[in-house]
Amino acid sequence: MSPHAHIAGVFEHPGRTLPDHTVAQIHAEVAAGALADAGLTFADVDGFFCAGDAPGFGGLSMAEYLGLNCRYIDSTETGGSSYLVHVQHAAEAIAAGRCSVALITLAGKPRTGGAGPGASARSDAPESDFENLFGLNIINGYALAAQRHMYEFGTTSAQLAEIKVAASTHAQHNPNAFLPTMVTIDEVLESPVIADPLHRLDACVITDGGGALVVVSPEIAASLDRHTIPVLGTGVGIKHTSGGRIDLTHTGAVISGPAAFAEAGVSPTDIDYVSIYDSFTITVLMTIEDLGFCPKGQGGGFVSDGALQSPNGILPFNTDGGGLCNNHPANRGGMTKVVEAVRQLRGEAHPAVQVPDCKLALAHGTGGSLATRMGSATLILGRDD
Amino acid sequence: MPTESNLPTNAAYPTLDSEPFWDALNDDRLHLPRCTACAYVIWYPRHHCPNCGAGRDQIEWFDASGRGAVYSYTVVRRNRGSWGEILPYIVAYVELDEGPRIMTNIVECDPESVTIGQAVEAVFHSVPEARQREHGATGVLRFRPSA
């Protein structure tokens, strides 16, 4: 048994529209699902992790709702990447003996109302009046990054469309996918331009739902029947506008990626499968560059010709259909990135998209706004057999 | 005198950090903080230098040129609410001659004509009367193509 913390249970809520659930209920359902997947119960949990999507007062409200008895709590908020940061923090807490069964939950209902994404949208942010007077919305911010990337590196809309095509190719095999229909490059390019250069089909879906992870100590992992997944390396990188010297073509992955690879003692060429945060197609392209899967600026060429399609592409990605087609619960895609990476390492992805003998996977989360004010988090996950 | 904006801009709420910036817009001035310790021109306005860590006692304010170039832009073609009624419009980052890249709108031009690298200059708008708020700022900074 390796000395690492292990992901012992994962769960993705099958719902994509949940008008009859409260956000707290969804947290409870995904928690129950992940614990059952691990072969554990609520009574086994001694550490709880949640982010701004959790209703109430940090983790306190949800710990009470769920009936947890915790000796460790963490509500680190980095937007959609929070849950990967939580895996890092859980692994550290487990190594320090602070807890042995860590539960991480995410839930939200951006599709049918109810609670919004939470703490990330606070209006007292000191930067808000310098960005909110100009008709900016989420996709505009990503369009600004895409436009600059195209200017500096010659990236094209057709290359971005390849990313959506790959996700849709995978989503057709996922019965829970919000958009299960394959699309072509032309269909992406013919969808309405929302904000130059991004089209409607460059954007992720908006779905209700949630997910949960259970991270356990090596000793607990050894006691379970389940195929548990060692956390081999983690990295976190915070990037912001740097006192007004914003750089729109790099992400925090330039910090989080090398840290995770170094801890795991592996390099990008060793990775069999990647879950890459995909709020928009440009998010994927810039992240792949920044993680070192290709030189900076060459992401457009790299993702072409089916490179991201499983099982035959050179870098199979987001085999559940990702946020672009499957699910982006609570407008936060980090949780589902970890869930699908674990499915791949367990050999439990859909057979049509399962990477043969998947031994090493990378999951990457992007929180905040791409290249603007963001928290990046990278996990390297493996197998013990 | 600032000209009244025809864009659906809400009023900002000045803070103790940002008040000099907002006040100067009423006089058609782009007033920015600068660090006296390292000479860094700071954006967004604050009384702390994010470059060297100098505190509020080492921040001075000066009038910037109002000149710069487009660093990136997007032509917004779909949106909800009041901004959805004035499509298309431009959201951009302008790199000021003094260094900072700041978010803004590019106005007084054909949206299809904007390019990265294009030279621009400051335009001082006032918040539409119907959108002014108690304790709110009355100015907003935008840019237009310059000769």
Side-chain angles (χ1 to χ4, degrees), chain A residues 189-205:
Chain A
L189 299 181
E190 289 162 9
S191 67
V193 174
I194 308 297
D196 293 9
L198 296 181
H199 302 75
R200 175 172 289 156
L201 292 184
D202 284 302
C204 67
V205 299

Side-chain angles (χ1 to χ4, degrees), chain A:
Chain A
M1 179 61 64
S2 69
H4 306 94
H6 285 236
I7 299 177
V10 299
F11 187 78
E12 177 187 6
H13 202 289
R16 301 292 179 266
T17 57
L18 297 166
D20 61 341
H21 283 61
T22 66
V23 171
Q25 275 173 21
I26 304 170
H27 275 275
E29 290 184 4
V30 296
L35 287 164
D37 183 48
L40 294 164
T41 72
F42 281 102
D44 296 312
V45 175
D46 59 358
F48 180 57
F49 298 69
C50 63
D53 55 278
F57 183 14
L60 297 184
S61 299
M62 284 310 306
E64 176 179 75
Y65 185 100
L66 297 171
L68 303 176
N69 292 306
C70 297
R71 58 193 179 103
Y72 196 86
I73 195 160
D74 182 330
S75 53
T76 299
E77 169 66 309
T78 61
S81 58
S82 300
Y83 321 94
L84 292 91
V85 179
H86 294 166
V87 171
Q88 180 192 60
H89 293 183
E92 290 166 351
I94 287 167
R98 302 294 183 190
C99 63
S100 59
V101 176
L103 172 66
I104 307 168
T105 64
L106 153 83
K109 299 179 51 171
R111 186 134 208 109
T112 63
S120 58
R122 283 178 60 150
S123 62
D124 64 353
E127 69 275 11
S128 63
D129 273 340
F130 301 97
E131 298 175 357
N132 291 345
L133 304 182
F134 307 107
L136 181 74
N137 61 22
I138 293 171
I139 190 169
N140 302 165
Y142 285 71
L144 288 165
Q147 191 90 292
R148 184 71 196 185
H149 198 279
M150 289 180 168
Y151 173 80
E152 289 193 21
F153 303 117
T155 308
T156 67
S157 290
Q159 290 170 335
L160 292 179
E162 291 262 11
I163 296 165
K164 176 73 168 192
V165 169
S168 75
T169 302
H170 301 151
Q172 65 177 323
H173 304 293
N174 182 348
N176 293 326
F178 188 77
L179 295 178
T181 308
M182 275 186 68
V183 298
T184 64
I185 290 174
D186 285 345
E187 285 171 327
V188 177
L189 299 181
E190 289 162 9
S191 67
V193 174
I194 308 297
D196 293 9
L198 296 181
H199 302 75
R200 175 172 289 156
L201 292 184
D202 284 302
C204 67
V205 299
I206 294 174
T207 49
D208 298 346
L213 310 171
V214 178
V215 184
V216 303
S217 66
E219 295 74 23
I220 300 273
S223 73
L224 299 173
D225 289 334
R226 197 65 167 111
H227 181 168
T228 64
I229 300 302
V231 180
L232 303 178
T234 68
V236 170
I238 304 302
K239 181 176 182 287
H240 51 66
T241 62
S242 299
R245 276 60 171 181
I246 188 170
D247 162 16
L248 280 175
T249 61
H250 289 83
T251 75
V254 299
I255 306 164
S256 67
F261 281 119
E263 186 184 7
V266 301
S267 68
T269 54
D270 298 319
I271 300 293
D272 299 311
Y273 164 81
V274 293
S275 283
I276 304 288
Y277 200 97
D278 56 346
S279 45
F280 296 90
T281 52
I282 184 65
T283 318
V284 176
L285 188 132
M286 285 173 50
T287 303
I288 285 173
E289 294 175 346
D290 291 345
L291 289 173
F293 289 104
C294 67
K296 189 65 195 176
Q298 295 181 24
F302 181 84
V303 301
S304 297
D305 304 321
L308 301 180
Q309 294 183 29
S310 188
N312 297 319
I314 53 173
L315 189 68
F317 103 124
N318 297 10
T319 40
D320 60 337
L324 289 170
C325 296
N326 169 33
N327 194 11
H328 198 66
N331 297 329
R332 290 162 172 252
M335 177 66 74
T336 46
K337 296 297 162 291
V338 183
V339 171
E340 183 67 4
V342 169
R343 290 192 193 111
Q344 280 285 349
L345 290 163
R346 285 171 165 175
E348 294 176 355
H350 189 283
V353 294
Q354 174 68 49
V355 174
D357 196 28
C358 183
K359 288 194 173 79
L360 204 57
L362 177 148
H364 183 84
T366 300
S369 187
L370 184 70
T372 300
R373 183 175 307 100
M374 63 180 303
S376 294
T378 309
L379 305 179
I380 310 284
L381 307 174
R383 288 201 326 212
D384 252 359
D385 53 337

Side-chain angles (χ1 to χ4, degrees), chain B residues 88-144:
Chain B
Y89 63 92
I90 298 275
V91 178
Y93 278 105
V94 165
E95 181 174 311
L96 301 177
D97 285 356
E98 292 81 4
R101 294 167 178 166
I102 77 176
M103 183 169 285
T104 189
N105 300 119
I106 308 296
V107 297
E108 298 181 32
C109 64
D110 174 5
E112 310 300 333
S113 72
V114 173
T115 58
I116 290 177
Q118 183 173 14
V120 292
E121 63 187 12
V123 183
F124 300 92
H125 280 175
S126 60
V127 172
E129 201 167 328
R131 291 174 177 272
Q132 292 187 8
R133 301 184 286 192
E134 193 180 2
H135 306 303
T138 51
V140 59
L141 176 66
R142 297 200 167 93
F143 288 80
R144 67 185 172 204

